[in-house]
Amino acid sequence: MAHKDDKDIIAGTHNTARFFTENRQISWVLLVAVIVWGIYGWMNMPKRKDPDIPVLIALAVCPWPGATAEKVEQLVTKPMEETIAQNDSLHEPKGGNEFAIKSMSLPGVAVVQVHLSEKIKDTKKEFNDINLRLDYLNNNLPEGAGPIK
């Protein structure tokens, strides 16, 4: 078998580069189509940098300087928990580290953490409701306690 000449090898070779070199019209049409498709995709792409992630957890703190942790627990933390529990949009814990209301009583301060349900669309409305209830509770706190923030 005789060795093929370079011209015969080139003439018999078919690949993508050769196809688009020989058919320039198809190359130009595909190039324009890709550019138009890119512009269309860029124009319809969402422009927001940060996603809208609703805040579902809040903290309520009530200072009571000089009070013991037991007094804070009985007279401030428990009423705060009961007041917050009146809201219908609290998270329903399924186990593990999940919670709806979590509290901590320390000497001189009560801290209550609230977790709203993930199904809530307008968390501001629910947090405003809880805030209004806690503002009403401010009037019934013991002397020297508060305000709840």
Side-chain angles (χ1 to χ4, degrees):
M1 182 163 170
H3 178 57
K4 288 187 179 179
D5 190 17
D6 285 344
K7 290 182 182 179
D8 294 336
I9 294 173
I10 292 171
T13 303
H14 297 289
N15 59 24
T16 307
R18 183 180 183 105
F19 175 80
F20 285 111
T21 303
E22 291 174 354
N23 301 300
R24 291 184 183 211
Q25 311 87 312
I26 295 173
S27 302
W28 284 108
V29 169
L30 288 176
L31 177 65
V32 169
V34 167
I35 290 172
V36 168
W37 188 18
I39 292 171
Y40 172 77
W42 183 76
M43 296 296 280
N44 291 323
M45 184 185 307
K47 303 294 189 264
R48 187 176 180 135
K49 277 185 172 180
D50 300 323
D52 185 26
I53 300 172
V55 176
L56 298 175
I57 298 177
L59 201 64
V61 180
C62 182
W64 190 6
T68 64
E70 292 80 20
K71 243 181 162 178
V72 170
E73 174 80 25
Q74 292 172 352
L75 300 174
V76 178
T77 307
K78 291 291 182 192
M80 284 175 66
E81 288 177 347
E82 292 167 1
T83 302
I84 292 170
Q86 294 172 2
N87 188 293
D88 297 331
S89 303
L90 297 178
H91 178 70
E92 295 177 17
K94 296 175 182 131
N97 291 335
E98 295 185 15
F99 64 93
I101 299 172
K102 185 170 26 172
S103 63
M104 180 172 49
S105 299
L106 301 169
V109 68
V111 180
V112 180
Q113 194 173 8
V114 182
H115 188 175
L116 293 181
S117 173
E118 288 81 14
K119 299 174 187 173
I120 301 302
K121 300 288 185 217
D122 187 13
T123 58
K124 287 183 182 180
K125 177 184 168 210
E126 299 305 324
F127 282 131
N128 282 338
D129 175 62
I130 292 171
N131 189 38
L132 287 173
R133 293 174 192 267
L134 290 175
D135 283 346
Y136 179 74
L137 181 63
N138 270 332
N139 300 328
N140 300 326
L141 290 175
E143 186 69 33
I148 301 171
K149 297 180 184 174

